[in-house]
Amino acid sequence: MKTITTQVAIIGAGPSGLLLGQLLSKQGIDNIIIERVSGEYVLGRIRAGILEQGFVNLVREAGVSERMDAEGIVHDGFDIAVDGKCTHINLKELTGGDTVLCYGQVDITKDLMAARASASLVTYYESSEVKLNDVKAATPTVTFEHLGEKYQLSCDYIAGCDGFHGVSRPTIPADVRTEHERVYPFGWLGLMSDTPPVSDELIYSKTKRGFALASMRSPTRSRYYLQVPVTDKVEDWSDDDFWQELKKRLPADAAAKLVTGPSIEKSIAPLRSFVCEPMQYGNLFLVGDAAHIVPPTGAKGLNLAASDVATLYKIMTRVYKEGDKNCLHQYSEIALRRVWHGERFSWWMTNMLHNFDGMSDAKEQGDTQGRFAESEINYYTASENGKRVIAEQYVGLAYEELAP
Ligand code: RFL
Ligand code: PHB
């Protein structure tokens, strides 16, 4: 068995793990990342596209923002369409200057990977049998296998950045952990294509046929989503089926501009709200999707991961730079306050914009839930105050500072 040591062991090289690693390294805090799959596989997951200002600032602080600043597209607003009638949510005006940035998760991950490689920071890709041991002890360990060799990594702290299906969360004993969950009766079928987007801004479109989202990655690359029953398989949907259905769910002027083309990626994501409390156990800290999942309707998943990273980064910096370990216990409380806000917003947007007709969840209530949702979205899009409530949450709440 090879034995190695570091200060912070990071499980998972998704955006949470890579961003945390980069920030810690900038402060001179040693870290090693252990990842289950290859770097190429990580980059194959398409996912998020909208970054809050807090995320953008953090990437800048990590010193990895060059390409994001050059290629990211600032979005001052987006549209909500209800049965073809559009309401513009002008983020910038409604919030007094805040915007979001359209820059893909794959690109952020690629930039972070390149920075990590050029600084010769260690990542063990394609590791198996990853196990967290003695997380309540002063020196926890992570054991794993890599290229046929067994390793034992000793550290001060472990950051569990290994996503929803990782090993970190189940390391917290079941009687200590509370898991809150809501599973929705539909998923999102996503399609990426090298075609120009239908609009300069995102369109969240609620229709009787179900929800659709028109998003983008660049002026020549579009990302679209359709609400589909959770039982649908991606093989059930040809590209042609997708484009025909999307056209029916977009407002008429956008539908008229829709340019179709072959998909370069197509996948179905189930929708779920999930929170694990607490997010800390001994010297183990859960970060990002390892601790919480939101339905993608509010574009919050990656952004909540970033606020967890920001909090843990501030704590680790205080621990290693000022020798103050009293702040360690603040992590879960601070992170969860923002997480629950994001969870509530994502759930609310999901309920307002999706069609629950014929879904098993709606059976008991007939179409009552649908009528409530319709009335709610009409109410919020009808006034400046209502639109501001949406805008403030979409651009993201401020990050909380540590208590002194
Ligand atoms: P990830 O990205 O899942 O990375 C976890 C990493 O851990 C590895 N791993 C392990 N490593 C070692 N040992 C083990 N036992 C391991 N088990 C797993 C995995 O291989 C992986 O590399 O979690 P992270 O870093 O916390 O990042 C979270 C984000 O990926 C996620 O929240 C967002 O993608 C959510 N999301 C969106 N978020 C936004 O903020 N804005 C958006 O516009 C947005 N759109 C989306 C989304 C998610 C989507 N899907 C597919 C769920 C759109 C979609 C369709
Ligand atoms: C995306 O571009 O992938 C995207 C944008 C906004 C969302 C979800 C996903 O709410």
Side-chain angles (χ1 to χ4, degrees):
M1 167 133 27
K2 277 196 175 170
T3 55
I4 45 180
T5 59
T6 192
Q7 290 174 309
V8 181
I10 299 174
I11 318 296
S16 301
L18 288 167
L19 182 56
L20 179 66
Q22 197 62 28
L23 288 161
L24 293 180
S25 298
K26 283 221 97 182
Q27 292 294 333
I29 302 168
D30 192 47
N31 61 88
I32 286 178
I33 301 185
I34 299 153
E35 166 61 53
R36 188 172 54 84
V37 298
S38 67
E40 218 168 81
Y41 189 94
V42 172
L43 292 175
R45 303 186 185 118
I46 301 295
R47 303 191 178 175
I50 293 292
L51 310 178
E52 296 173 355
Q53 195 58 47
F55 189 112
V56 170
N57 294 344
L58 208 54
V59 174
R60 287 187 185 141
E61 190 165 342
V64 193
S65 66
E66 200 179 322
R67 199 162 68 96
M68 178 189 77
D69 284 329
E71 296 176 19
I73 310 168
V74 175
H75 282 214
D76 291 351
F78 64 88
D79 274 322
I80 293 180
V82 180
D83 292 328
K85 187 177 159 282
C86 278
T87 302
H88 189 236
I89 306 293
N90 191 322
L91 298 170
K92 200 169 185 178
E93 278 178 23
L94 290 162
T95 62
D98 290 344
T99 56
V100 292
L101 189 74
C102 183
Y103 188 66
Q105 176 165 338
V106 174
D107 293 293
I108 285 281
T109 309
K110 213 184 261 178
D111 298 345
L112 287 164
M113 277 179 178
R116 194 165 176 88
S118 73
S120 304
L121 301 172
V122 182
T123 309
Y124 289 91
Y125 282 103
E126 299 182 79
S127 294
S128 58
E129 310 301 324
V130 180
K131 202 163 167 272
L132 284 49
N133 314 290
D134 305 323
V135 298
K136 289 201 97 175
T139 308
T141 64
V142 181
T143 46
F144 60 100
E145 287 184 29
H146 176 72
L147 295 176
E149 216 138 3
K150 286 189 188 336
Y151 284 78
Q152 184 181 57
L153 169 62
S154 301
C155 57
D156 301 332
Y157 303 104
I158 302 177
C161 305
D162 48 349
F164 186 63
H165 300 288
V167 289
S168 298
R169 191 177 65 252
T171 303
I172 303 179
D175 60 341
V176 175
R177 175 163 46 100
T178 305
E179 297 189 343
H180 306 270
E181 184 169 42
R182 170 160 304 187
V183 178
Y184 300 83
F186 38 75
W188 276 20
L189 168 65
L191 180 145
M192 184 92 99
S193 64
D194 277 326
T195 53
V198 286
S199 163
D200 292 344
E201 294 184 342
L202 270 60
I203 305 173
Y204 290 80
S205 182
K206 175 185 176 71
T207 76
K208 304 259 183 295
R209 303 183 68 89
F211 169 78
L213 171 62
S215 180
M216 68 198 70
R217 289 294 176 273
S218 76
T220 56
R221 181 167 285 188
S222 299
R223 179 69 166 161
Y224 296 108
Y225 296 98
L226 291 176
Q227 171 189 353
V228 296
V230 76
T231 45
D232 273 20
K233 301 269 169 288
V234 74
E235 308 79 68
D236 301 339
W237 286 85
S238 67
D239 286 2
D240 200 41
D241 293 339
F242 185 97
W243 293 121
Q244 282 192 29
E245 186 58 30
L246 179 65
K247 212 162 187 164
K248 291 179 188 153
R249 295 191 195 182
L250 289 177
D253 56 338
K257 283 189 223 142
L258 181 66
V259 180
T260 64
S263 61
I264 52 176
E265 195 266 358
K266 206 162 48 182
S267 54
I268 295 185
L271 264 59
R272 177 194 309 272
S273 298
F274 176 91
V275 181
C276 168
E277 293 182 312
M279 286 171 58
Q280 175 185 6
Y281 180 68
N283 290 318
L284 166 65
F285 300 83
L286 301 182
V287 179
D289 279 16
H292 42 78
I293 296 287
V294 287
T297 326
K300 286 286 166 258
L302 183 58
N303 290 303
L304 290 177
S307 55
D308 293 351
V309 168
T311 304
L312 189 55
Y313 163 60
K314 284 179 213 157
I315 287 176
M316 288 295 139
T317 305
R318 199 186 274 185
V319 167
Y320 284 105
K321 296 282 148 183
E322 297 170 29
D324 169 19
K325 290 191 179 180
N326 290 327
C327 60
L328 285 165
H329 72 276
Q330 292 187 37
Y331 177 71
S332 195
E333 237 176 76
I334 293 181
L336 280 167
R337 255 193 294 277
R338 200 170 189 282
V339 164
W340 277 113
H341 271 296
E343 290 280 347
R344 196 207 60 79
F345 178 65
S346 306
W347 159 82
W348 183 66
M349 289 283 277
T350 302
N351 278 345
M352 280 196 301
L353 291 169
H354 288 74
N355 187 344
F356 285 78
D357 281 0
M359 304 284 176
S360 55
D361 258 22
K363 265 187 194 149
E364 269 178 28
Q365 302 149 324
D367 66 351
T368 316
Q369 180 166 349
R371 292 305 186 92
F372 284 157
E374 222 172 272
S375 167
E376 197 159 17
I377 192 76
N378 288 336
Y379 174 76
Y380 278 92
T381 51
S383 73
E384 288 296 289
N385 284 343
K387 286 189 268 192
R388 188 167 295 114
V389 168
I390 297 174
E392 277 175 356
Q393 298 179 85
Y394 194 84
V395 298
L397 304 183
Y399 288 5
E400 194 175 319
E401 291 305 321
L402 303 185

